[in-house]
Amino acid sequence: MNKLFGLIGHPVSHSMSPLMHNDAFKQLGINGYYHAFDVQEGKLEEAVAAFKVLNMSGFNVTIPHKVAIMEFLDEIDEEAKMIGAVNTVVNSNGRLIGFNTDGRGFLSSLLEIVPKPLIESNVLVLGAGGAARAVVTAVADHGVKTLAITNRTLKKATEIKNNYYNYKKSKNAQIDIVSLQEAEANIGVYDIIINTTSLGMSPNIEEIPISIDHIKPNVVLSDLIYNPLKTKWLQLGEENGAIIHNGVGMFAMQGALAFEKWTGITPDTARMTKIVMNQLGGKSC
Ligand code: ATR
């Protein structure tokens, strides 16, 4: 019998997850099927109860349910608790367990392109929303030379820092909160700059999250956005000699990690990335 997997979110009609996961099931000869379920905000509890009754094997969670889902699960993994959001649920003998694979997905994609070890790198994170929480947790856990967060609303950056320190007994990284002006003035210090804000996302493609006139040579500019594939910020960075990295790898990797949690099998991540790229109609960067 086919095992049923899926995505719960609103809207989900443009999601690339069904194509990516169903291809992996086929490739690996697994009897699985992945379907995107459009569930409106007030209907989440009912939908989760229905998934349980139907004995669904696992599912992904996306906007706007990543935080709200937590109260309807039986257990939440420590990393997801620290991030404060769930994007992957595993049905373990009828118990629904929540995980978050966004941060690790981002990290593995980033590690593929960095020119020097992360532990020797000064890292700046732009933004302090849900995506930033996942990125900061993964990057800080991995260990870096220095880690700074900047955001329009600095209070939210401080909350991420405090939350991380509250959860972590061993502090792998010291997190500094810097104003946007400070970050811009010291932009030449950073080896890796990660944009987690929505600035530059379609349709606002002319926006950039921070000026990069004085970046150091070989800096890595990583933008979580994948629509457009090359934001104006990445384009300017590339013209200034930066190594650029978009959000496609993170998307594919978070999916691959979810797949691994459901099946115990690591899918072909290069193939997953290619499928997403084809869907988006471009070349990865
Ligand atoms: P996500 O889950 O994708 O991270 P989010 O939680 O809404 O989404 O966070 C959006 C991030 O983009 C925040 O850091 C937000 O800044 P604030 O915390 O100050 O709101 C940032 N952002 C969105 N629009 C922005 C804008 N016009 N200028 C500056 N920052 C912006």
Side-chain angles (χ1 to χ4, degrees):
M1 199 173 83
N2 256 356
K3 285 189 169 179
L4 184 61
F5 299 87
L7 169 69
I8 188 166
H10 177 74
V12 291
S13 56
H14 295 295
S15 171
M16 295 170 290
S17 293
L19 199 65
M20 186 170 81
H21 286 291
N22 285 325
D23 177 79
F25 287 136
K26 200 168 152 198
Q27 271 298 108
L28 292 161
I30 296 172
N31 283 328
Y33 180 71
Y34 187 105
H35 183 80
F37 295 91
D38 194 326
V39 175
Q40 307 236 358
E41 248 161 304
K43 295 284 179 187
L44 182 62
E45 186 170 10
E46 283 172 64
V48 175
F51 281 5
K52 241 184 170 174
V53 172
L54 297 172
N55 198 26
M56 211 157 140
S57 301
F59 55 95
N60 285 129
V61 187
T62 190
I63 290 168
H65 303 310
K66 281 187 179 188
V67 177
I69 189 99
M70 296 174 85
E71 66 172 298
F72 306 124
L73 301 176
D74 298 302
E75 195 181 320
I76 296 166
D77 157 78
E78 279 304 302
E79 190 178 1
K81 271 191 207 159
M82 189 157 67
I83 294 169
V86 160
N87 80 326
T88 300
V89 177
V90 175
N91 182 346
S92 171
N93 301 317
R95 285 175 59 74
L96 297 184
I97 310 176
F99 296 89
N100 192 311
T101 66
D102 284 335
R104 279 169 198 265
F106 170 77
L107 186 66
S108 24
S109 172
L110 181 74
L111 289 174
E112 283 183 352
I113 59 108
V114 287
K116 69 174 180 181
L118 223 52
I119 197 76
E120 294 167 20
S121 302
N122 296 314
V123 179
L124 172 67
V125 174
L126 310 173
R133 277 205 299 273
V135 165
V136 166
T137 303
V139 169
D141 275 352
H142 177 281
V144 288
K145 190 171 166 193
T146 65
L147 177 56
I149 313 175
T150 187
N151 191 38
R152 176 177 62 179
T153 317
L154 274 186
K155 192 169 146 268
K156 280 168 72 182
T158 307
E159 274 165 24
I160 294 186
K161 171 183 167 168
N162 293 342
N163 191 39
Y164 184 78
Y165 285 173
N166 284 342
Y167 268 100
K168 284 282 155 179
K169 288 177 188 75
S170 66
K171 292 169 188 162
N172 284 353
Q174 189 195 320
I175 301 172
D176 295 312
I177 307 303
V178 296
S179 68
L180 275 166
Q181 292 80 352
E182 265 177 277
E184 219 158 50
N186 295 318
I187 203 85
V189 163
Y190 302 107
D191 302 295
I192 302 173
I193 307 172
I194 305 161
N195 176 40
T196 74
T197 77
S198 46
L199 293 167
M201 190 187 289
S202 180
N204 303 315
I205 58 169
E206 286 305 313
E207 294 176 345
I208 60 164
I210 197 164
S211 155
I212 45 168
D213 289 343
H214 304 293
I215 46 174
K216 69 159 78 163
N218 268 336
V219 66
V220 173
L221 298 187
S222 173
D223 201 328
L224 266 52
I225 294 169
Y226 50 78
N227 180 21
L229 285 168
K230 201 185 280 181
T231 55
K232 182 168 183 183
W233 189 62
L234 289 187
Q235 206 173 311
L236 290 171
E238 194 175 40
E239 284 161 19
N240 275 320
I243 298 166
I244 62 168
H245 176 239
N246 67 15
V248 171
M250 174 182 178
F251 179 78
M253 292 293 190
Q254 63 75 33
L257 292 170
F259 190 95
E260 219 174 87
K261 292 217 176 287
W262 297 326
T263 63
I265 300 168
T266 308
D268 180 346
T269 53
R271 189 179 165 98
M272 278 183 153
T273 308
K274 214 166 140 193
I275 285 175
V276 177
M277 282 309 305
N278 285 346
Q279 276 288 97
L280 294 166
K283 280 202 173 92
S284 190
C285 64

